[in-house]
Amino acid sequence: MSDITIRLAQPSDLPALLAIYNHYVVNTPITFDIEPRTLAQRQEWLDQFSSNGKYRCFVAAEGNEAVGYACSAKFKEREAYATTIETSVYCAPDRVRKGIGRLLYTTLLGALEGEDIHRAYGGVTLPNAPSVGLHEAMGFRRVGTYTQVGRKFDRYWDVGLFLREMR
Ligand SMILES: CC(C)(COP(=O)(O)OP(=O)(O)OC[C@H]1O[C@@H](n2cnc3c(N)ncnc32)[C@H](O)[C@@H]1OP(=O)(O)O)[C@@H](O)C(=O)NCCC(=O)NCCS
């Protein structure tokens, strides 16, 4: 792996993060967004994260360029869900299988250790061997499946539910 630094996402990362995400929006069922996101929509998404607390976003930077990111977000709005987070991780398509996903998740999960978080869930559109492999490598286990919960590219997709107990 060339020199990769993991750091908190910053506003100047937005265009790179948008490009990474939109690649998967347009070309894959990995995310259930169907239309590419705009900068403004992605700005709103980025605004949910902060430098401390439960909701954070880390990027993998090569020089100044963000080539991947991992985030923890609210699982659901209602208050009793507050001790649960949903995690996600994306690497630029030309940077996969270089250890970046593992580095990102390790940093994110480590940073969250002191927080009042009981459960982390990741949703994985199936099949996705790299994501299943990464989640299992990071201590998640598959606890269920939403069958045919999304339709994209004219077919239905299952989403595997991956759970990590946080304490
Ligand atoms: C899923 C993703 C984040 C994994 O990150 P990555 O940088 O490619 O993975 P790493 O190189 O850090 O690998 C970490 C572990 O994940 C697993 N893994 C990664 N790629 C794999 C593959 N192709 N098949 C099986 N397991 C794989 C392995 O356990 C690996 O550990 P190892 O290298 O010691 O065998 C990355 O492939 C990606 O961005 N994919 C497209 C977007 C995506 O699917 N995001 C997840 C949405 S749920």
Side-chain angles (χ1 to χ4, degrees):
M1 198 184 344
S2 55
D3 274 358
I4 295 283
T5 312
I6 308 292
R7 56 163 172 76
L8 284 167
Q10 52 197 40
S12 59
D13 294 319
L14 190 61
L17 300 184
L18 179 72
I20 294 169
Y21 184 67
N22 277 343
H23 167 83
Y24 294 107
V25 171
V26 171
N27 298 297
T28 78
I30 287 170
T31 165
F32 282 171
D33 278 323
I34 291 177
E35 295 298 327
R37 301 286 90 183
T38 63
L39 261 185
Q41 286 168 325
R42 223 42 192 163
Q43 178 69 64
E44 215 171 286
W45 165 81
L46 194 56
D47 287 345
Q48 74 186 290
F49 306 114
S50 56
S51 54
N52 50 32
K54 297 174 191 168
Y55 311 122
R56 305 200 207 185
C57 186
F58 287 93
V59 304
E62 212 173 61
N64 267 339
E65 190 198 354
V67 297
Y69 63 93
C71 306
S72 55
K74 239 178 218 180
F75 180 70
K76 288 192 186 199
E77 269 303 320
R78 289 187 290 278
E79 283 169 311
Y81 286 119
T83 53
T84 299
I85 54 166
E86 182 172 41
T87 57
S88 53
V89 55
Y90 287 83
C91 297
D94 56 348
R95 301 298 209 290
V96 297
R97 204 75 216 245
K98 294 176 188 295
I100 295 175
R102 182 190 286 273
L103 217 47
L104 281 164
Y105 249 13
T106 301
T107 304
L108 175 68
L109 294 168
L112 296 177
E113 255 166 29
E115 301 295 334
D116 184 19
I117 300 173
H118 187 57
R119 292 289 186 265
Y121 281 93
V124 181
T125 306
L126 300 171
N128 184 343
S131 183
V132 169
L134 175 65
H135 280 89
E136 289 177 348
M138 297 307 305
F140 288 77
R141 68 177 195 280
R142 188 166 162 189
V143 291
T145 309
Y146 287 121
T147 65
Q148 301 199 4
V149 70
R151 185 170 66 195
K152 189 170 178 181
F153 306 138
D154 290 326
R155 59 155 284 192
Y156 292 96
W157 299 92
D158 293 351
V159 169
L161 263 184
F162 286 79
L163 160 70
R164 185 176 191 273
E165 288 160 20
M166 297 293 279
R167 53 179 186 190

